[in-house]
Amino acid sequence: MSRRVVITGAGTVNALGANVPKTLAALHDGLCAIGPLQLRDLDRLQVRIGAQVQGWDEARFGRDQPLFDRFTQFALVAAAEAVAQAGDLAQGPRLGCIMGTAGGGLGTTDDSYRAVYAEGKARVHPFTVPRLMPSAAASHIAKAQRAQGPVFSLSSACASANHAMGLAMHLIRAGAADAMLTGGADAMLTFGGLKAWEGLRVMSPDGCRPFSADRNGMVMGEGAAVFVFEAAEVAAARGAVALAEVAGFGMTSDAADIVLPSAEGATRAMQLALADAGLHADAVGYVNAHGTGTAANDRIEAGVIADVLGRDVAVSSTKGAHGHVMGATGAVELLACLMALRDGVIAPTVGHRSPDPACTIDLVTGAARKATVTACLSNAFAFGGLNAVLALRAV
């Protein structure tokens, strides 16, 4: 069995916006959510900027709030928005959930270590394990939406959300589920999370500038995005509106350096996504690039895009707007793909200041670009040499 898969609902919480309409408006307007961080022990950090969700009210979860780490909270709100848009979604054994996360409940982990090691406490909160486990978001979404089919989380660093969504597509194609809630969630803007990333020396102290000649590193963000993936015939039968078709997926491993990207691995992932979707390279009108703002990633990715698709395909990275949302970043970036396919608007590469001769691609900068896009790719190339590329088609 092989079925077409469509997206019938989308939801998000990120630094740009508390829902999809606000996020799309911010992407369209080229807004930047990166700014000074507000967190404990900030003075002990070298990097003090990030794309932080502001004004988050944990009280909305009532008596359940102690069960939820921040990343789970984001995921639950995003999933509720996606399901509301999808409409009369059937619950039960034919509905599943796969979520991607790089850090899981890192805030809970950070607080627990602080309590035991810094403050000398003899015990931690009794819900510490249920809060920090990477599968928490998927489990709580399943409970809230009564998804009794395949439910789990996966972690592949910055490619987590794309891997989750690709596998969700495969499960529906294979007939293991009729619909899947899928995407990613991360909340790694903690003292420990930032201190760990500082050690890699890939973080920018002053801003994310993807593909810009003066780029000097990535900027971390936080949030979640969740989508309803559904078998096309099931969605049509219940009168649901398809936002886009999830047409193909490609995933590869570099099996090489643990942190430096590989052109060969990224190339194969993009080619596999095109082949799986049955798309020719010239059909692709937009690529949402991984575009981290690091010297190595942007140079190598630009070369890969040019080699696979040609130099005239429109490209942008939205990480300069919402930051690098780690394991959730591919899901947040999929919103930019939906905007291109449905509204004919390509989000600009916020933060870009000057062309890099080593990045010879048609980069959308300055302002959003109007264009007719019938197919697009969303790239995710993660530490560990893990590559995941989604291909989407307009409906």
Side-chain angles (χ1 to χ4, degrees):
M1 178 185 291
S2 182
R3 304 187 292 179
R4 289 178 56 242
V5 178
V6 296
I7 301 173
T8 55
T12 190
V13 172
N14 64 82
L16 278 177
N19 53 44
V20 171
K22 290 181 179 179
T23 299
L24 294 182
L27 288 171
H28 177 280
D29 294 343
L31 301 184
C32 178
I34 295 170
L37 289 170
Q38 298 176 11
L39 52 85
R40 197 171 175 180
D41 290 334
L42 187 65
D43 60 327
R44 296 178 58 198
L45 292 170
Q46 297 172 12
V47 174
R48 301 177 184 179
I49 62 170
Q52 195 169 27
V53 173
Q54 302 295 327
W56 185 249
D57 180 18
E58 296 188 350
R60 73 177 71 192
F61 299 100
R63 66 181 185 179
D64 288 334
Q65 187 273 325
L67 275 170
F68 306 148
D69 183 89
R70 189 173 172 92
F71 95 108
T72 297
Q73 295 176 22
F74 292 155
L76 280 167
V77 172
E81 182 186 7
V83 170
Q85 182 178 26
D88 188 21
L89 190 64
Q91 299 178 332
R94 300 298 296 171
L95 174 64
C97 177
I98 305 178
M99 291 293 289
T101 184
L106 197 62
T108 299
T109 302
D110 211 43
D111 291 343
S112 300
Y113 280 155
R114 186 188 298 275
V116 173
Y117 295 122
E119 299 170 0
K121 293 182 178 179
R123 64 182 66 185
V124 295
H125 195 283
F127 293 157
T128 296
V129 170
R131 284 172 60 97
L132 65 81
M133 61 187 189
S135 57
S139 293
H140 285 297
I141 289 173
K143 179 183 175 184
Q145 305 300 336
R146 200 163 168 71
Q148 297 176 311
V151 174
F152 58 95
S153 292
L154 60 81
S155 185
S156 54
C158 311
S160 298
N162 271 19
H163 274 124
M165 294 186 289
L167 291 182
M169 178 200 74
H170 279 306
L171 285 176
I172 296 171
R173 277 184 175 179
D178 289 334
M180 296 290 296
L181 301 169
T182 185
D186 258 321
M188 295 178 66
L189 287 174
T190 66
F191 174 78
L194 286 161
K195 182 59 71 175
W197 275 91
E198 280 183 356
L200 284 167
R201 299 183 180 181
V202 295
M203 303 280 283
S204 170
D206 55 12
C208 180
R209 297 181 286 277
F211 299 104
S212 188
D214 62 344
R215 65 190 182 275
N216 62 358
M218 55 169 272
V219 175
M220 191 181 294
E222 63 178 1
V226 179
F227 302 88
V228 177
F229 282 16
E230 195 168 357
E233 70 271 22
V234 175
R238 66 182 188 86
V241 175
L243 306 179
E245 179 184 355
V246 189
F249 178 56
M251 53 182 167
T252 64
S253 167
D254 296 344
D257 196 280
I258 203 70
V259 293
L260 292 177
S262 157
E264 190 271 338
T267 297
R268 285 193 299 113
M270 292 183 67
Q271 291 173 336
L272 286 171
L274 290 172
D276 189 41
L279 287 170
H280 293 290
D282 57 7
V284 176
Y286 171 57
V287 177
N288 186 285
H290 190 56
T292 58
T294 59
N297 175 89
D298 293 5
R299 173 180 51 81
I300 290 174
E301 185 176 12
V304 168
I305 291 172
D307 288 344
V308 174
L309 300 175
R311 301 181 189 277
D312 57 349
V313 62
V315 178
S316 70
S317 167
T318 53
K319 287 185 174 69
H322 52 64
H324 194 327
V325 200
M326 313 315 290
T329 202
V332 175
E333 289 162 0
L334 202 67
L335 294 169
C337 292
L338 290 181
M339 186 170 74
L341 292 169
R342 290 181 59 78
D343 303 329
V345 176
I346 297 175
T349 305
V350 174
H352 185 276
R353 297 196 296 208
S354 57
D356 182 352
C359 300
T360 53
I361 49 177
D362 181 16
L363 194 68
V364 179
T365 63
R369 179 187 298 179
K370 294 290 290 183
T372 299
V373 178
T374 58
C376 64
L377 297 181
S378 183
N379 289 346
F381 306 136
F383 277 180
L386 307 179
N387 310 299
V389 178
L390 285 164
L392 280 81
R393 184 184 287 117
V395 294

